[in-house]
Amino acid sequence: MSSEEAAERLREDGVVLLRGVLPSSLVERFWHAAVSCFTAVEDRPTVAKHHRLNRFSNSLLIEALADASLVDSPLPKEELIAPVTSPEPAALFSKALGGDWDCRLEHSWLRKKFAPGDSPDGRNVSQGWHQDGGLGVHFPEPAGSYDERGYWISTAPMTELVTCWIPLDACGVDAPGLEFVRGPQPGLLHFTELADGDLRQRFDMARFWAPEMEPGDAVVFQNSVLHRTQMAVGMTQDRVSVEYRVFPMAR
């Protein structure tokens, strides 16, 4: 897929899958660091707090991969951001955001998702439907503005960003991946409208998409796109991933 084709897919569908854009050697270093990081942080509450361990989503700030107290071979800063400075993703961010961009590591995450029933303490760490453009947005009660089908229309502006999500394990078949509702949304959906059953009534089933992905792939999506952790009965493998939030450069 050319950069122009990828940018057009991102505009139309709100999400585009870039196959094999990252070298296997880089992905392997990330994977080993990630596995080491999650193992080490469990009995290090002070360090876990510093890296903002969230036990509900089983996530850490991506900068934990550079912490020598957690990782035997910590990733230097230039390697930590290498996935988003790779030519294909970097060019796509510029097209999507209309110019220069900035990857903010304080909003970029390392995550581990367990196969159904595989969480060591029984927690469900899958993330439900949401939009990344809701970052930092205060949601009022849904009132005042509705479309012709009776759905609430948010007047709150979305945070301008694109997300680059990279699996470090194969996912979508044996391990949890991501599921999307393809197509940009005109605004933020209220959290009361994000139940799976409600969304499947609201959107045509053809718009629901859960791609099978391999290490080295990357998926880039707009701030308005609905997505969640994809779980399926029969999955037996866990998955680690990294995700970067990319913002327009301050002007």
Side-chain angles (χ1 to χ4, degrees):
M1 186 186 302
S2 70
S3 60
E4 291 77 15
E5 289 171 329
E8 181 63 21
R9 182 73 55 80
L10 184 60
R11 280 192 296 270
E12 291 184 357
D13 291 349
V15 55
V16 61
L17 175 57
L18 306 176
R19 292 284 189 193
V21 293
L22 302 176
S24 58
S25 57
L26 178 65
V27 174
E28 185 174 351
R29 288 195 294 275
F30 266 77
W31 185 88
H32 283 290
V35 171
S36 175
C37 195
F38 275 112
T39 300
V41 80
E42 283 300 323
D43 58 356
R44 303 282 300 281
T46 301
V47 177
K49 183 178 180 181
H50 174 73
H51 291 299
R52 291 168 57 189
L53 173 65
N54 185 327
R55 295 191 180 277
F56 293 102
S57 60
N58 211 41
S59 59
L60 289 161
L61 285 176
I62 200 169
E63 290 177 305
L65 297 177
D67 188 337
S69 73
L70 295 175
V71 181
D72 292 336
S73 299
L75 302 180
K77 175 69 177 293
E78 61 271 18
E79 192 166 40
L80 196 61
I81 63 171
V84 288
T85 57
S86 298
E88 286 188 60
L92 188 56
F93 303 150
S94 295
K95 287 182 171 66
L97 297 171
D100 294 338
W101 50 269
D102 179 32
C103 177
R104 299 182 192 168
L105 296 184
E106 71 271 22
H107 294 300
S108 299
W109 297 92
L110 165 68
R111 302 189 193 276
K112 181 176 182 179
K113 300 301 183 187
F114 301 102
D118 199 30
S119 173
D121 55 7
R123 285 177 292 129
N124 176 13
V125 298
S126 64
Q127 289 168 282
W129 290 106
H130 63 285
Q131 297 160 288
D132 284 358
L135 177 68
V137 175
H138 172 70
F139 284 84
E141 288 300 313
S145 195
Y146 296 84
D147 67 14
E148 67 278 1
R149 295 179 60 191
Y151 293 120
W152 178 73
I153 304 172
S154 173
T155 56
M158 282 182 282
T159 299
E160 191 176 359
L161 58 86
V162 292
T163 298
C164 181
W165 189 88
I166 299 165
L168 303 178
D169 295 289
C171 64
V173 178
D174 294 323
L178 284 188
E179 184 175 15
F180 299 91
V181 178
R182 284 186 286 197
Q185 298 301 319
L188 292 170
L189 277 68
H190 197 267
F191 57 81
T192 59
E193 299 182 304
L194 296 178
D196 184 61
D198 292 341
L199 293 180
R200 292 185 188 276
Q201 288 187 351
R202 182 170 184 168
F203 298 107
D204 188 279
M205 287 301 296
R207 294 178 64 176
F208 290 81
W209 179 55
E212 299 177 15
M213 298 180 65
E214 296 290 333
D217 295 344
V219 64
V220 177
F221 52 96
Q222 293 183 20
N223 56 352
S224 70
V225 169
L226 288 155
H227 60 286
R228 69 168 181 173
T229 306
Q230 175 236 6
M231 290 283 191
V233 175
M235 287 181 170
T236 58
Q237 302 298 313
D238 302 335
R239 173 264 288 171
V240 286
S241 61
V242 290
E243 64 184 64
Y244 296 88
R245 303 278 175 78
V246 179
F247 301 80
M249 186 72 75
R251 297 179 176 90

